[in-house]
Amino acid sequence: MTIQQLKYVVALDEERHFARAAEVCMVTQPGLTIQLKNLEEEIGIKIFDRNKVPLTPTVLGKEIINRARKILRETDEIRDFVINQKNLLEGELKLGIISTLSPYLIPLFISAMKTIAPKVNFVIKEANTGQLMQDVETGAIDVAIMATPTGHPNLVEHAIFKEPFVAYLNENHPMANDDFYELQPYDKPELLLLQNEYCYNAQLLDICGIKEPGKIKEQFSYDISSIETLKNLVRAKLGFAIIPALSIINEKETALFKTFKDPKPVREISFVVSDTFSKKLLLEKMSQAVWDCLPEALKKDFSYKKIKWNDSPYFINAVSKI
Amino acid sequence: MTIQQLKYVVALDEERHFARAAEVCMVTQPGLTIQLKNLEEEIGIKIFDRNKVPLTPTVLGKEIINRARKILRETDEIRDFVINQKNLLEGELKLGIISTLSPYLIPLFISAMKTIAPKVNFVIKEANTGQLMQDVETGAIDVAIMATPTGHPNLVEHAIFKEPFVAYLNENHPMANDDFYELQPYDKPELLLLQNEYCYNAQLLDICGIKEPGKIKEQFSYDISSIETLKNLVRAKLGFAIIPALSIINEKETALFKTFKDPKPVREISFVVSDTFSKKLLLEKMSQAVWDCLPEALKKDFSYKKIKWNDSPYFINAVSKI
DNA sequence: TCATGATTATAAATTTAATTTATAAAGATA
DNA sequence: TATCTTTATAAATTAAATTTATAATCATGA
């Protein structure tokens, strides 16, 4: 069965005449006759009764013609769908992004998008994970870039990359001269966390295998609201921090940023959209833009351990290769 | 776009590997690669991202893969549908037929069906049109053979043939020696009708252009329940009858049966089924059987005037050629 | 870093299939 | 009976898919 044969069947039903149907299909009559014959032999039934004038579909033939029509419509819809998607590559897109990623990714992302889809205007909002999920659901933003899986049933996640965590030690740390960092029991009470970043903190607690956040170092009297602040606290020898890899790509002095031994703890970064989001080609282009602007090290395969930040039943904690 | 290309796309999504997908499709890897390329160029979008390992569908690609799956499923369903229909060519079928047709058609029909679908057992019920329509709707019978259109929205009609009416004159009739019959005003009061056959009588009144049945000849004191009775009444010179053509095929003495001049009045005989009736192939075979057993004269084109028997809005009184 | 293995892409040759041209057969028409 | 219309068939042609062979790419391990 070929799509062409289905076209012949439908044309023949409309024209009720071999020669005219062939003309409509821009082929000659014997070509159409033979292909109809081939199809009829393949499915094992006569679709048209040639004894009647004008020729008439058989009872079963009518059913097959209807099904053929549907299939042809659907093949056309594939084409139309792609064309429509291309039209959606202009206009405005409201993008939310978690604050522990935003300062490092957004500048690179925006310049990559300028090349890939120059007619799209981005309105960017920085917020925490909970806020972003809510905003996506209400439609306040179109797309969020955040750590996943969310476990939220109405949101669709498109994973883009795995961002490893790195440890930032101060120069007095016992492992300050090692190549890799491995979690030490004495580091746990020193772990610095962020204010108002439940998701991020939960990931760190998971890395450190800490169940009860109460045991960790008390927060300071002011809000630690950014990764940059964390770094400065480490530099002031006030603790030890675990930070995402993209936050060190602009650092000059890299000696005290230690990657973990394999499997490295990572957070999965994804585009999160509502399940009714329709700009799929734009999403694809954005995914491309993020991938293009990533440092090479993050594009390569590596052994990783995906870190969880919630206890959703949808979440599966996995050790695998990208 | 070809069905084969869609198969390749789906196989590739399942295997995520060109060589393995090609193996599944029983082709070589370059063949599959080229066809995927052709399809991607035709619709204008990359379906798979070959940069990732293993290769991954693009966001838009996922959508296309889903649509491809649906189309392939539907093509398979065409095949399955035909196979299922063939299985329905055995078992029992409850067939209803109007009494003005039954004695002439059923014997011929049954012997034709014995060749075409020998494993079908028919349970035949003779009844009037109203009863048959009700029986089809309730499922008491599967198929009815009757005059159409019925105008009933839940019934589906499959026209089989047009049966002309003929006039039966007694030997004293002024046109007894003519080749054709044309309706005469003096015949109207002499027209013989059937008891309990609203539909048949309505057709005769339509032929004769009579609006008010009250004006016609009073019925006799006993029920005239069959065409054969009508014929005998004519032979007894008790009136004039219009009868369906199939009722004279076994008559030896044909001189007093007169066909009408063109356009001949006809009744359209159809299979009538409920709109949920599913044995379409069987219906087709039955249609074939009826056609095969018809006298040649009824298979040929002729100019006709379709006679109505109800005032349904669905009915269109037409003068045309078969 | 160089060779190796795995994977996808490309080129040319081959096979398969669809289509055309030409014509026959069947049926209707005049 | 001849003619016209329509569909079917045969052989030749064209187009397209597929195969074989090989190149290019990229990750991997010595």
Side-chain angles (χ1 to χ4, degrees):
Chain A
M1 190 184 308
T2 69
I3 290 177
Q4 192 69 352
Q5 287 171 341
L6 299 182
K7 281 185 187 163
Y8 291 164
V9 165
V10 169
L12 200 47
D13 180 54
E14 268 154 21
E15 300 297 329
R16 303 288 171 105
H17 188 279
F18 276 80
R20 282 202 303 276
E23 196 183 5
V24 167
C25 295
M26 318 254 269
V27 292
T28 57
Q29 170 265 317
L32 193 144
T33 296
I34 284 197
Q35 286 313 313
L36 178 72
K37 192 161 158 276
N38 288 346
L39 178 60
E40 286 181 331
E41 275 169 14
E42 184 189 337
I43 65 178
I45 205 81
K46 279 262 169 294
I47 300 173
F48 291 94
D49 183 351
R50 284 87 150 167
N51 293 321
K52 304 223 177 81
V53 260
L55 83 161
T56 317
T58 60
V59 180
L60 224 63
K62 281 179 199 159
E63 184 79 31
I64 288 163
I65 291 162
N66 284 338
R67 288 165 187 255
R69 276 217 175 79
K70 185 163 181 227
I71 290 172
L72 293 178
R73 195 181 328 120
E74 285 171 352
T75 60
D76 285 344
E77 278 168 1
I78 288 184
R79 268 178 273 264
D80 295 348
F81 171 69
V82 173
I83 292 167
N84 277 334
Q85 288 293 318
K86 287 184 176 165
N87 292 335
L88 297 177
L89 286 185
E90 40 196 88
E92 192 181 271
L93 190 100
K94 291 191 274 296
L95 176 70
I97 180 165
I98 46 172
S99 37
T100 55
L101 185 60
S102 175
Y104 316 106
L105 185 64
I106 286 298
L108 304 170
F109 170 72
I110 291 297
S111 56
M113 278 308 290
K114 280 217 173 100
T115 351
I116 288 176
K119 291 184 177 169
V120 179
N121 286 322
F122 287 94
V123 178
I124 296 173
K125 170 183 178 175
E126 198 177 299
N128 65 37
T129 302
Q131 182 64 49
L132 289 179
M133 284 169 66
Q134 195 183 318
D135 285 353
V136 170
E137 210 180 2
T138 62
I141 61 175
D142 301 307
V143 184
I145 302 180
M146 48 182 271
T148 47
T150 63
H152 195 300
N154 298 330
L155 300 182
V156 177
E157 302 164 8
H158 297 269
I160 324 169
F161 65 97
K162 308 276 186 291
E163 183 182 27
F165 287 97
V166 298
Y168 187 22
L169 313 179
N170 68 56
E171 56 205 15
N172 296 337
H173 193 280
M175 301 181 79
N177 294 316
D178 294 2
D179 284 344
F180 296 98
Y181 174 78
E182 260 183 318
L183 183 69
Q184 304 302 326
Y186 52 77
D187 280 334
K188 289 186 184 182
E190 299 295 314
L191 179 67
L192 295 166
L193 296 177
L194 294 179
Q195 284 294 107
N196 302 319
E197 283 288 346
Y198 166 76
C199 153
Y200 185 78
N201 291 344
Q203 291 174 340
L204 299 191
L205 298 177
D206 187 51
I207 293 173
C208 298
I210 301 170
K211 292 277 158 52
E212 310 84 20
K215 280 193 186 164
I216 61 156
K217 190 168 189 174
E218 285 304 310
Q219 238 92 96
F220 298 80
S221 57
Y222 65 95
D223 284 2
I224 308 174
S225 58
S226 75
I227 302 292
E228 292 308 309
T229 310
L230 280 190
K231 287 183 190 167
N232 286 330
L233 290 171
V234 173
R235 286 175 191 128
K237 305 191 180 62
L238 293 173
F240 145 84
I242 296 176
I243 59 178
L246 281 179
S247 73
I248 66 168
I249 54 177
N250 289 321
E251 294 288 343
K252 298 283 181 333
E253 192 58 60
T254 57
L256 291 168
F257 297 103
K258 308 286 183 187
T259 63
F260 283 74
K261 282 198 173 158
D262 285 353
K264 301 184 201 306
V266 300
R267 58 178 185 177
E268 176 187 72
I269 301 297
S270 302
F271 286 115
V272 174
V273 295
S274 125
D275 50 11
T276 60
F277 182 79
S278 69
K279 298 182 172 185
K280 305 213 171 182
L281 181 56
L282 179 54
L283 203 57
E284 192 166 308
K285 298 290 180 189
M286 288 168 62
S287 193
Q288 185 63 46
V290 171
W291 190 256
D292 286 351
C293 72
L294 285 182
E296 288 303 319
L298 294 197
K299 295 184 192 177
K300 296 220 177 96
D301 273 10
F302 56 85
S303 171
Y304 66 84
K305 177 172 188 287
K306 205 194 272 183
I307 294 308
K308 72 170 167 181
W309 59 267
N310 64 15
D311 292 315
S312 156
Y314 301 93
F315 181 83
I316 296 151
N317 193 334
V319 175
S320 53
K321 300 253 291 179
I322 291 178
Chain B
M1 189 183 310
T2 68
I3 290 178
Q4 192 68 351
Q5 287 171 340
L6 298 182
K7 281 186 187 161
Y8 291 165
V9 165
V10 169
L12 201 46
D13 180 54
E14 269 155 20
E15 299 296 330
R16 303 289 172 103
H17 188 280
F18 275 80
R20 282 202 303 275
E23 197 183 4
V24 168
C25 296
M26 317 255 269
V27 292
T28 56
Q29 169 265 317
L32 193 144
T33 297
I34 284 195
Q35 288 312 313
L36 178 72
K37 193 160 157 278
N38 288 346
L39 178 59
E40 286 182 330
E41 274 169 14
E42 184 189 339
I43 65 177
I45 205 81
K46 278 260 169 297
I47 299 173
F48 291 94
D49 184 351
R50 283 88 150 167
N51 293 320
K52 303 225 177 79
V53 257
L55 83 160
T56 318
T58 59
V59 179
L60 224 62
K62 282 179 198 160
E63 184 80 31
I64 289 164
I65 292 163
N66 285 338
R67 288 165 187 255
R69 276 214 175 79
K70 187 165 180 225
I71 291 172
L72 292 178
R73 197 183 324 123
E74 286 171 352
T75 60
D76 285 343
E77 279 168 0
I78 288 184
R79 265 178 276 263
D80 295 348
F81 171 69
V82 173
I83 292 167
N84 277 333
Q85 289 293 319
K86 287 186 175 163
N87 291 334
L88 297 177
L89 286 185
E90 42 194 271
E92 191 179 273
L93 189 100
K94 291 191 275 294
L95 176 70
I97 181 164
I98 47 174
S99 38
T100 54
L101 186 58
S102 175
Y104 317 105
L105 186 63
I106 287 298
L108 305 170
F109 170 72
I110 292 297
S111 57
M113 276 311 287
K114 279 215 173 104
T115 357
I116 288 176
K119 292 187 179 168
V120 179
N121 286 321
F122 287 94
V123 177
I124 297 173
K125 170 182 179 176
E126 199 178 298
N128 65 36
T129 302
Q131 182 65 49
L132 289 178
M133 283 170 64
Q134 195 183 317
D135 284 354
V136 169
E137 210 180 2
T138 62
I141 60 175
D142 302 308
V143 183
I145 302 180
M146 49 182 270
T148 48
T150 63
H152 194 301
N154 299 331
L155 300 183
V156 178
E157 301 164 9
H158 298 268
I160 324 169
F161 65 99
K162 307 276 185 293
E163 182 181 26
F165 288 95
V166 298
Y168 188 23
L169 313 180
N170 68 57
E171 55 205 18
N172 298 336
H173 193 281
M175 302 182 79
N177 295 317
D178 293 4
D179 285 343
F180 297 96
Y181 174 78
E182 258 182 321
L183 182 69
Q184 304 301 326
Y186 53 77
D187 280 334
K188 289 186 185 182
E190 298 295 315
L191 179 67
L192 296 165
L193 295 176
L194 293 179
Q195 284 293 106
N196 302 319
E197 285 286 347
Y198 166 76
C199 155
Y200 185 77
N201 292 345
Q203 290 175 343
L204 299 192
L205 299 178
D206 187 51
I207 291 173
C208 298
I210 301 170
K211 291 279 157 50
E212 310 84 20
K215 278 194 187 164
I216 63 158
K217 188 168 190 171
E218 284 304 309
Q219 238 91 98
F220 298 81
S221 57
Y222 64 94
D223 284 1
I224 309 175
S225 59
S226 74
I227 301 292
E228 293 308 310
T229 311
L230 281 190
K231 286 183 192 165
N232 287 330
L233 292 171
V234 173
R235 286 175 192 128
K237 304 192 181 61
L238 293 171
F240 145 83
I242 295 177
I243 59 179
L246 281 179
S247 72
I248 64 168
I249 53 177
N250 290 320
E251 296 287 343
K252 298 280 183 326
E253 192 59 59
T254 58
L256 293 167
F257 296 103
K258 309 285 183 188
T259 62
F260 283 74
K261 284 201 173 155
D262 286 352
K264 301 184 200 305
V266 301
R267 57 177 185 179
E268 175 186 74
I269 301 296
S270 302
F271 286 115
V272 174
V273 296
S274 124
D275 50 11
T276 60
F277 181 79
S278 70
K279 298 182 172 185
K280 305 210 171 186
L281 181 55
L282 178 54
L283 202 57
E284 192 166 308
K285 298 291 181 189
M286 288 167 61
S287 192
Q288 185 63 46
V290 171
W291 191 255
D292 286 351
C293 71
L294 285 183
E296 287 304 319
L298 294 196
K299 296 184 191 177
K300 296 221 178 98
D301 273 10
F302 56 86
S303 173
Y304 65 86
K305 176 170 188 287
K306 205 194 272 182
I307 293 309
K308 72 171 168 181
W309 59 267
N310 64 16
D311 293 318
S312 156
Y314 301 94
F315 180 83
I316 295 150
N317 193 334
V319 175
S320 52
K321 300 250 292 176
I322 290 177

